[in-house]
Amino acid sequence: MNFKGTLPTLILEALAPEPSHGYRIAQQIKERSRGVLDFKEGTLYPALHKLNSEGLIDSYEGVEKGRPRRYYRITESGKAMLAKDRAEWRELSRAVTLILGEA
Amino acid sequence: MNALENWLSQATRHLSKDSVAQVRTEIQEHYESAREAALNLGATIEAADRSALTALGDARAANRQYRQVLLTSAEARLLRDGNREARVFCSHQWLKWTLLTVPVAALSASVALYFGGATEWARVLFAAALSLSPLFAAFFLPIYTQARGRVFRIVKWIVMISGLLLAFGPDALKWSWLLISCLWPMIWIEGTRISLRRKLREDQWPKQLYL
Protein backbone atom coordinates (compact mmCIF):
# COMPACT_ATOMS: atom_id res chain seq x y z
CA MET A 1 0.00 0.00 0.00
CA ASN A 2 1.25 3.49 -0.86
CA PHE A 3 1.75 5.44 2.35
CA LYS A 4 4.07 8.10 1.01
CA GLY A 5 4.46 10.98 3.44
CA THR A 6 3.41 9.03 6.53
CA LEU A 7 6.66 7.07 6.93
CA PRO A 8 8.29 9.70 9.23
CA THR A 9 5.25 9.57 11.54
CA LEU A 10 5.31 5.77 11.56
CA ILE A 11 9.02 5.82 12.42
CA LEU A 12 8.39 8.24 15.31
CA GLU A 13 5.57 5.98 16.50
CA ALA A 14 7.86 2.93 16.35
CA LEU A 15 10.50 4.78 18.36
CA ALA A 16 8.10 6.19 20.96
CA PRO A 17 8.27 3.25 23.44
CA GLU A 18 12.03 2.59 23.19
CA PRO A 19 15.14 3.20 21.05
CA SER A 20 15.52 0.84 18.13
CA HIS A 21 17.66 0.11 15.06
CA GLY A 22 16.65 0.35 11.41
CA TYR A 23 15.82 -3.30 10.80
CA ARG A 24 13.64 -3.56 13.90
CA ILE A 25 11.80 -0.32 13.02
CA ALA A 26 11.00 -1.72 9.55
CA GLN A 27 9.76 -5.02 10.99
CA GLN A 28 7.65 -3.23 13.63
CA ILE A 29 5.88 -1.11 11.02
CA LYS A 30 5.17 -4.16 8.87
CA GLU A 31 4.01 -6.31 11.80
CA ARG A 32 1.84 -3.65 13.45
CA SER A 33 0.11 -2.96 10.11
CA ARG A 34 -0.30 -6.75 9.64
CA GLY A 35 1.74 -6.59 6.45
CA VAL A 36 -0.43 -3.92 4.79
CA LEU A 37 2.28 -1.27 4.94
CA ASP A 38 4.95 -3.21 3.09
CA PHE A 39 7.57 -0.68 2.03
CA LYS A 40 11.01 -0.97 0.49
CA GLU A 41 13.47 -1.01 3.36
CA GLY A 42 16.16 0.89 1.45
CA THR A 43 13.98 4.01 1.76
CA LEU A 44 13.78 3.78 5.55
CA TYR A 45 17.28 5.14 6.17
CA PRO A 46 16.92 8.37 4.15
CA ALA A 47 13.77 9.02 6.24
CA LEU A 48 15.75 8.33 9.43
CA HIS A 49 18.51 10.75 8.33
CA LYS A 50 15.92 13.43 7.61
CA LEU A 51 14.30 13.03 11.03
CA ASN A 52 17.76 13.15 12.57
CA SER A 53 18.72 16.38 10.78
CA GLU A 54 15.40 17.91 11.87
CA GLY A 55 16.23 17.06 15.47
CA LEU A 56 13.19 14.80 15.87
CA ILE A 57 15.34 11.75 16.63
CA ASP A 58 18.98 11.21 17.54
CA SER A 59 21.24 8.22 17.18
CA TYR A 60 23.97 6.40 19.07
CA GLU A 61 26.16 3.32 18.68
CA GLY A 62 24.88 0.21 20.45
CA VAL A 63 25.52 -3.52 20.37
CA GLU A 64 23.08 -6.32 19.62
CA LYS A 65 24.12 -9.98 19.71
CA GLY A 66 27.75 -8.87 19.76
CA ARG A 67 27.30 -6.79 16.59
CA PRO A 68 27.61 -2.99 16.57
CA ARG A 69 24.34 -1.32 15.57
CA ARG A 70 23.15 2.23 15.14
CA TYR A 71 20.24 2.89 17.45
CA TYR A 72 17.75 5.71 17.02
CA ARG A 73 15.72 7.34 19.79
CA ILE A 74 12.97 9.92 19.74
CA THR A 75 13.76 13.40 21.11
CA GLU A 76 11.43 15.75 23.00
CA SER A 77 10.65 17.65 19.77
CA GLY A 78 10.03 14.29 18.10
CA LYS A 79 7.49 13.41 20.81
CA ALA A 80 5.75 16.75 20.33
CA MET A 81 5.66 16.23 16.56
CA LEU A 82 4.26 12.73 17.00
CA ALA A 83 1.47 14.03 19.27
CA LYS A 84 0.62 16.68 16.66
CA ASP A 85 0.68 14.12 13.81
CA ARG A 86 -1.56 11.73 15.79
CA ALA A 87 -4.12 14.47 16.42
CA GLU A 88 -4.09 15.51 12.75
CA TRP A 89 -4.43 11.90 11.62
CA ARG A 90 -7.43 11.29 13.92
CA GLU A 91 -9.15 14.38 12.58
CA LEU A 92 -8.43 13.45 8.95
CA SER A 93 -9.48 9.86 9.47
CA ARG A 94 -12.75 10.99 11.15
CA ALA A 95 -13.48 13.36 8.25
CA VAL A 96 -12.80 10.71 5.57
CA THR A 97 -14.96 8.19 7.47
CA LEU A 98 -17.81 10.70 7.54
CA ILE A 99 -17.64 10.89 3.75
CA LEU A 100 -16.90 7.28 2.84
CA GLY A 101 -18.72 5.66 5.76
CA GLU A 102 -17.43 2.91 8.03
CA ALA A 103 -15.75 0.05 6.15
CA MET B 1 30.87 -7.99 -7.55
CA ASN B 2 28.05 -9.57 -5.57
CA ALA B 3 24.45 -8.38 -5.66
CA LEU B 4 24.67 -6.35 -2.43
CA GLU B 5 27.83 -4.59 -3.63
CA ASN B 6 26.06 -3.76 -6.87
CA TRP B 7 23.05 -2.40 -4.92
CA LEU B 8 25.32 -0.31 -2.69
CA SER B 9 27.32 1.16 -5.55
CA GLN B 10 24.09 2.30 -7.24
CA ALA B 11 22.55 3.62 -4.02
CA THR B 12 25.66 5.64 -3.11
CA ARG B 13 26.33 7.25 -6.52
CA HIS B 14 27.46 10.91 -6.23
CA LEU B 15 27.43 10.83 -2.43
CA SER B 16 30.37 12.18 -0.43
CA LYS B 17 32.93 9.78 1.06
CA ASP B 18 31.49 10.11 4.57
CA SER B 19 27.93 9.62 3.31
CA VAL B 20 28.99 6.52 1.35
CA ALA B 21 30.61 5.02 4.46
CA GLN B 22 27.48 5.75 6.50
CA VAL B 23 25.12 4.22 3.92
CA ARG B 24 27.31 1.14 3.47
CA THR B 25 27.42 0.48 7.22
CA GLU B 26 23.69 0.88 7.82
CA ILE B 27 22.61 -1.09 4.74
CA GLN B 28 25.08 -3.91 5.44
CA GLU B 29 23.82 -4.13 9.04
CA HIS B 30 20.24 -4.18 7.78
CA TYR B 31 20.99 -6.76 5.12
CA GLU B 32 22.70 -9.04 7.63
CA SER B 33 19.72 -8.86 10.01
CA ALA B 34 17.23 -9.57 7.20
CA ARG B 35 19.35 -12.45 5.95
CA GLU B 36 19.69 -13.91 9.44
CA ALA B 37 15.92 -13.67 10.01
CA ALA B 38 15.24 -15.48 6.73
CA LEU B 39 17.77 -18.22 7.62
CA ASN B 40 16.10 -18.65 11.02
CA LEU B 41 12.80 -19.20 9.23
CA GLY B 42 14.42 -22.07 7.33
CA ALA B 43 15.30 -20.38 4.01
CA THR B 44 18.32 -21.57 2.06
CA ILE B 45 21.36 -19.26 1.90
CA GLU B 46 20.52 -18.23 -1.69
CA ALA B 47 16.86 -17.58 -0.84
CA ALA B 48 17.86 -15.59 2.27
CA ASP B 49 20.26 -13.44 0.22
CA ARG B 50 17.62 -12.89 -2.41
CA SER B 51 14.86 -11.93 0.02
CA ALA B 52 17.16 -9.58 1.99
CA LEU B 53 18.12 -7.81 -1.22
CA THR B 54 14.56 -7.67 -2.57
CA ALA B 55 13.37 -6.11 0.70
CA LEU B 56 15.81 -3.22 0.16
CA GLY B 57 13.97 -2.25 -3.04
CA ASP B 58 15.20 -0.22 -5.98
CA ALA B 59 18.75 1.08 -5.46
CA ARG B 60 18.20 4.08 -7.75
CA ALA B 61 15.11 5.15 -5.79
CA ALA B 62 17.12 4.85 -2.57
CA ASN B 63 19.92 6.89 -4.18
CA ARG B 64 17.48 9.69 -5.09
CA GLN B 65 16.29 9.82 -1.49
CA TYR B 66 19.78 9.61 -0.01
CA ARG B 67 20.88 12.53 -2.19
CA GLN B 68 18.10 14.63 -0.68
CA VAL B 69 19.25 14.06 2.89
CA LEU B 70 22.98 13.21 2.85
CA LEU B 71 25.86 15.29 1.51
CA THR B 72 26.78 14.69 -2.13
CA SER B 73 30.40 14.84 -3.25
CA ALA B 74 29.84 18.30 -4.83
CA GLU B 75 28.31 19.64 -1.61
CA ALA B 76 31.12 18.21 0.52
CA ARG B 77 33.66 19.85 -1.82
CA LEU B 78 31.91 23.22 -1.59
CA LEU B 79 31.79 22.96 2.18
CA ARG B 80 35.50 22.11 2.37
CA ASP B 81 36.75 24.64 -0.21
CA GLY B 82 34.49 27.46 0.99
CA ASN B 83 35.88 27.04 4.47
CA ARG B 84 39.41 27.05 3.13
CA GLU B 85 38.76 30.44 1.46
CA ALA B 86 37.36 31.89 4.65
CA ARG B 87 40.28 30.54 6.68
CA VAL B 88 42.83 32.06 4.28
CA PHE B 89 41.08 35.45 4.26
CA CYS B 90 40.62 35.66 7.98
CA SER B 91 43.95 34.21 9.11
CA HIS B 92 46.07 37.08 7.74
CA GLN B 93 45.26 40.55 9.02
CA TRP B 94 46.98 42.23 6.06
CA LEU B 95 45.01 40.12 3.56
CA LYS B 96 41.78 40.85 5.40
CA TRP B 97 42.32 44.61 5.20
CA THR B 98 43.69 44.49 1.64
CA LEU B 99 40.53 42.71 0.50
CA LEU B 100 38.35 45.21 2.30
CA THR B 101 40.11 48.08 0.52
CA VAL B 102 39.49 46.66 -3.00
CA PRO B 103 35.87 47.92 -3.28
CA VAL B 104 36.83 51.16 -1.51
CA ALA B 105 39.73 51.68 -3.96
CA ALA B 106 37.44 50.95 -6.93
CA LEU B 107 34.88 53.42 -5.55
CA SER B 108 37.53 56.13 -5.04
CA ALA B 109 38.89 55.54 -8.56
CA SER B 110 35.39 55.80 -10.02
CA VAL B 111 34.83 59.15 -8.24
CA ALA B 112 38.19 60.42 -9.52
CA LEU B 113 37.39 59.27 -13.07
CA TYR B 114 33.94 60.84 -12.94
CA PHE B 115 35.34 64.24 -12.00
CA GLY B 116 38.12 63.71 -14.58
CA GLY B 117 35.43 63.45 -17.28
CA ALA B 118 35.75 59.70 -18.00
CA THR B 119 32.15 58.99 -17.03
CA GLU B 120 31.92 55.64 -18.83
CA TRP B 121 34.92 54.21 -16.95
CA ALA B 122 33.64 55.76 -13.73
CA ARG B 123 30.31 53.94 -14.19
CA VAL B 124 32.01 50.58 -14.82
CA LEU B 125 34.32 50.95 -11.81
CA PHE B 126 31.44 52.06 -9.59
CA ALA B 127 29.48 48.98 -10.71
CA ALA B 128 32.51 46.78 -9.96
CA ALA B 129 32.86 48.32 -6.47
CA LEU B 130 29.16 47.80 -5.85
CA SER B 131 29.19 44.16 -7.01
CA LEU B 132 32.35 43.23 -5.12
CA SER B 133 31.47 44.87 -1.82
CA PRO B 134 29.07 42.17 -0.50
CA LEU B 135 31.48 39.39 -1.49
CA PHE B 136 34.40 40.86 0.42
CA ALA B 137 32.41 42.31 3.28
CA ALA B 138 30.72 38.95 3.91
CA PHE B 139 33.71 37.49 5.74
CA PHE B 140 33.87 40.34 8.24
CA LEU B 141 30.22 40.94 9.07
CA PRO B 142 28.71 39.46 12.27
CA ILE B 143 26.25 37.14 10.51
CA TYR B 144 25.64 34.20 12.80
CA THR B 145 21.86 33.85 12.79
CA GLN B 146 19.44 32.63 10.15
CA ALA B 147 17.55 35.93 10.11
CA ARG B 148 20.70 38.00 9.56
CA GLY B 149 21.86 35.54 6.91
CA ARG B 150 18.55 35.84 5.04
CA VAL B 151 18.72 39.65 5.07
CA PHE B 152 22.35 39.58 3.93
CA ARG B 153 21.58 37.24 1.02
CA ILE B 154 18.70 39.41 -0.19
CA VAL B 155 20.87 42.54 -0.01
CA LYS B 156 23.80 40.72 -1.68
CA TRP B 157 21.73 39.67 -4.71
CA ILE B 158 20.05 43.06 -5.08
CA VAL B 159 23.43 44.84 -4.90
CA MET B 160 25.16 42.45 -7.29
CA ILE B 161 22.42 42.46 -9.91
CA SER B 162 22.18 46.25 -9.67
CA GLY B 163 25.97 46.46 -10.12
CA LEU B 164 25.88 44.31 -13.24
CA LEU B 165 22.90 46.20 -14.68
CA LEU B 166 24.75 49.45 -14.04
CA ALA B 167 27.91 48.11 -15.70
CA PHE B 168 26.06 47.14 -18.87
CA GLY B 169 23.83 50.23 -18.85
CA PRO B 170 20.98 50.36 -21.36
CA ASP B 171 22.45 47.33 -23.20
CA ALA B 172 21.81 45.06 -20.18
CA LEU B 173 19.03 43.17 -21.97
CA LYS B 174 21.16 42.62 -25.08
CA TRP B 175 23.98 41.28 -22.94
CA SER B 176 21.71 39.22 -20.69
CA TRP B 177 23.40 35.97 -21.87
CA LEU B 178 26.71 37.34 -20.58
CA LEU B 179 25.10 38.50 -17.32
CA ILE B 180 23.64 35.05 -16.75
CA SER B 181 26.98 33.41 -17.62
CA CYS B 182 28.75 35.71 -15.13
CA LEU B 183 26.25 34.92 -12.41
CA TRP B 184 25.94 31.19 -13.19
CA PRO B 185 28.76 29.99 -10.85
CA MET B 186 27.27 32.08 -8.04
CA ILE B 187 23.79 30.76 -8.76
CA TRP B 188 25.16 27.21 -8.63
CA ILE B 189 26.91 27.89 -5.31
CA GLU B 190 23.74 29.51 -3.93
CA GLY B 191 21.69 26.47 -4.96
CA THR B 192 24.18 24.09 -3.33
CA ARG B 193 24.15 26.18 -0.15
CA ILE B 194 20.33 26.05 -0.05
CA SER B 195 20.59 22.26 -0.22
CA LEU B 196 23.28 22.23 2.51
CA ARG B 197 21.16 24.41 4.79
CA ARG B 198 18.35 21.89 4.44
CA LYS B 199 20.59 18.90 5.14
CA LEU B 200 22.71 20.17 8.04
CA ARG B 201 21.46 21.12 11.48
CA GLU B 202 22.09 24.80 12.26
CA ASP B 203 24.70 23.93 14.90
CA GLN B 204 26.73 22.27 12.10
CA TRP B 205 26.66 25.30 9.78
CA PRO B 206 29.98 26.93 8.93
CA LYS B 207 29.83 30.69 8.43
CA GLN B 208 29.59 30.40 4.64
CA LEU B 209 26.11 28.86 4.93
CA TYR B 210 24.77 32.04 6.52
CA LEU B 211 26.08 34.13 3.61
Side-chain angles (χ1 to χ4, degrees):
Chain A
M1 180 180 273
N2 186 351
F3 60 112
K4 209 175 172 190
T6 56
L7 184 58
T9 309
L10 297 175
I11 292 172
L12 292 177
E13 177 62 40
L15 291 175
E18 58 174 351
S20 191
H21 55 71
Y23 180 73
R24 207 192 292 155
I25 295 170
Q27 296 317 302
Q28 259 191 48
I29 293 173
K30 286 179 184 180
E31 280 163 21
R32 286 176 67 179
S33 71
R34 294 174 194 151
V36 177
L37 303 178
D38 188 10
F39 62 98
K40 294 299 173 193
E41 292 166 17
T43 60
L44 174 76
Y45 292 93
L48 282 168
H49 289 298
K50 190 162 191 293
L51 289 171
N52 194 21
S53 70
E54 289 168 350
L56 300 175
I57 60 172
D58 60 19
S59 66
Y60 61 93
E61 283 291 333
V63 178
E64 189 191 60
K65 292 179 192 165
R67 268 210 311 254
R69 307 284 321 223
R70 178 147 293 276
Y71 279 79
Y72 300 90
R73 72 182 150 215
I74 194 164
T75 60
E76 285 307 313
S77 10
K79 284 177 190 167
M81 178 61 79
L82 179 61
K84 187 173 156 273
D85 284 352
R86 271 188 190 139
E88 275 176 12
W89 177 255
R90 270 191 214 110
E91 204 172 325
L92 177 73
S93 155
R94 203 178 306 130
V96 174
T97 307
L98 282 174
I99 297 168
L100 300 181
E102 294 286 349
Chain B
M1 191 187 279
N2 66 30
L4 178 62
E5 268 304 312
N6 194 24
W7 194 96
L8 283 169
S9 66
Q10 280 190 59
T12 56
R13 273 189 68 191
H14 301 302
L15 292 180
S16 72
K17 264 187 191 169
D18 289 346
S19 306
V20 170
Q22 201 174 352
V23 173
R24 291 189 84 88
T25 309
E26 65 197 16
I27 293 295
Q28 272 164 352
E29 278 175 9
H30 190 100
Y31 178 87
E32 282 305 318
S33 300
R35 192 174 171 274
E36 208 174 273
L39 287 172
N40 288 342
L41 287 173
T44 62
I45 293 175
E46 290 78 25
D49 283 339
R50 212 169 30 248
S51 78
L53 196 69
T54 309
L56 289 176
D58 181 18
R60 276 172 299 183
N63 178 249
R64 275 195 298 276
Q65 295 193 17
Y66 271 125
R67 280 159 68 172
Q68 283 170 19
V69 292
L70 293 180
L71 294 190
T72 62
S73 43
E75 287 164 351
R77 198 168 43 245
L78 178 75
L79 215 50
R80 198 176 51 236
D81 295 349
N83 270 348
R84 193 185 304 150
E85 263 170 43
R87 274 202 309 274
V88 170
F89 287 149
C90 299
S91 60
H92 304 288
Q93 279 297 318
W94 62 269
L95 185 58
K96 193 171 163 176
W97 293 111
T98 309
L99 282 172
L100 262 185
T101 56
V102 170
V104 178
L107 187 67
S108 312
S110 80
V111 172
L113 284 167
Y114 180 77
F115 286 110
T119 49
E120 276 302 294
W121 281 106
R123 181 168 60 87
V124 172
L125 265 177
F126 179 71
L130 200 65
S131 306
L132 291 174
S133 55
L135 297 179
F136 289 148
F139 293 107
F140 313 114
L141 294 173
I143 304 169
Y144 297 109
T145 63
Q146 290 210 37
R148 286 185 196 180
R150 217 168 287 132
V151 170
F152 175 79
R153 288 194 295 278
I154 292 168
V155 172
K156 176 181 82 177
W157 280 99
I158 290 172
V159 165
M160 279 183 6
I161 291 170
S162 310
L164 284 170
L165 289 176
L166 188 67
F168 286 97
D171 294 334
L173 208 61
K174 198 173 107 189
W175 292 100
S176 56
W177 62 271
L178 187 62
L179 279 172
I180 293 167
S181 313
C182 290
L183 287 175
W184 177 245
M186 292 201 61
I187 293 169
W188 182 84
I189 289 174
E190 201 63 54
T192 311
R193 282 180 177 166
I194 289 171
S195 169
L196 282 166
R197 280 182 213 115
R198 222 180 33 232
K199 289 178 183 179
L200 299 176
R201 283 198 314 266
E202 201 189 342
D203 58 357
Q204 297 174 317
W205 288 14
K207 182 164 180 187
Q208 59 158 313
L209 287 191
Y210 291 98
L211 306 176

